[in-house]
Amino acid sequence: MPSTSKRKCRTTLTPEEWYPGFLALLAQTGMVRLTCQQVGIARRTAYRHRRANPAFAEAWALAMEDAGDALEAEARRRALLGVETRRLILYKGKPVIDRSRPGRWADGQGNDWIEGVSQGRKCWTGAFLYAVEMRYSDGLLALLLKAAKPERYAARPRIDQGAVIKEAERVAAVLGVPLDALLAEARALQAGG
């Protein structure tokens, strides 16, 4: 019967052998699991070395920053420069053939299609027309703005003045004090007095 315990993954590599490759790949991917698999070490080995070696931990943090910077650069590129996309052009639900490029109608085996004789599926071997367009990400642009200028673009709670006044009146009634006195006390507390 097979053992249910996890098999221990032991590496024969020394830290000097796997540290450089690990850190370089981590800076590219930002993914510890994938990096460990590519380098040939167990994740627990990587984390153990990070805990035990402050210099390695610092290099790990820098690699993760590099990976984050690469993601941010890609988000900025997609938001500002866009991404080229291709969309198949259809006419009455069928792809439009690009007549400027060679092609022919063929059957499923690649033989020329002969109307009334050939059987199976009729396939075009040439190219179809595509519309090429740039797509920009407004969502990524909004996230970048919130990160770059949070004081201006981060979500701020909206205050309903009517609800605030109603709540102040309720609190004043519960405490048995005039509303003006309650508001004056609140202003004094806010001012630090």
Side-chain angles (χ1 to χ4, degrees):
M1 182 168 185
S3 170
T4 57
S5 66
K6 285 189 174 181
R7 190 176 128 263
K8 291 199 174 190
C9 180
R10 299 217 183 262
T11 181
T12 58
L13 300 173
T14 65
E16 293 78 23
E17 292 174 324
W18 66 264
Y19 276 15
F22 177 88
L23 293 169
L25 193 55
L26 187 63
Q28 289 176 4
T29 67
M31 300 168 59
V32 176
R33 179 186 300 269
L34 176 67
T35 300
C36 289
Q37 287 173 345
Q38 293 294 317
V39 174
I41 61 166
R43 278 190 322 158
R44 95 176 54 88
T45 300
Y47 284 111
R48 187 176 29 136
H49 280 262
R50 186 176 73 170
R51 282 190 305 274
N53 184 338
F56 180 61
E58 185 177 337
W60 181 314
L62 289 173
M64 290 301 283
E65 276 186 43
D66 288 347
D69 289 346
L71 285 175
E72 187 177 357
E74 178 62 14
R76 184 175 301 280
R77 186 189 68 77
R78 287 178 183 223
L80 299 176
L81 301 177
V83 176
E84 187 175 285
T85 59
R86 291 177 14 134
R87 181 181 44 83
L88 185 64
I89 298 175
L90 302 175
Y91 178 74
K92 293 186 178 181
K94 298 195 186 245
V96 176
I97 294 172
D98 183 354
R99 299 282 180 190
S100 68
R101 296 174 68 188
R104 63 186 177 79
W105 289 103
D107 60 17
Q109 285 75 38
N111 301 319
D112 285 337
W113 181 268
I114 301 169
E115 209 61 52
V117 176
S118 297
Q119 295 181 351
R121 190 165 168 229
K122 183 179 179 182
C123 300
W124 177 250
T125 62
F128 294 105
L129 286 178
Y130 288 87
V132 178
E133 54 194 26
M134 292 302 288
R135 293 225 174 150
Y136 302 89
S137 176
D138 291 342
L140 283 174
L141 188 59
L143 283 173
L144 290 169
L145 278 171
K146 287 177 185 180
K149 297 189 175 218
E151 67 284 350
R152 187 164 185 184
Y153 295 104
R156 292 183 213 142
R158 301 270 185 228
I159 298 174
D160 180 2
Q161 290 180 343
V164 170
I165 292 171
K166 192 180 276 187
E167 182 63 16
E169 289 171 346
R170 186 190 71 74
V171 170
V174 167
L175 296 174
V177 296
L179 179 60
D180 292 339
L182 179 69
L183 293 175
E185 182 69 23
R187 285 189 195 102
L189 287 171
Q190 186 178 22

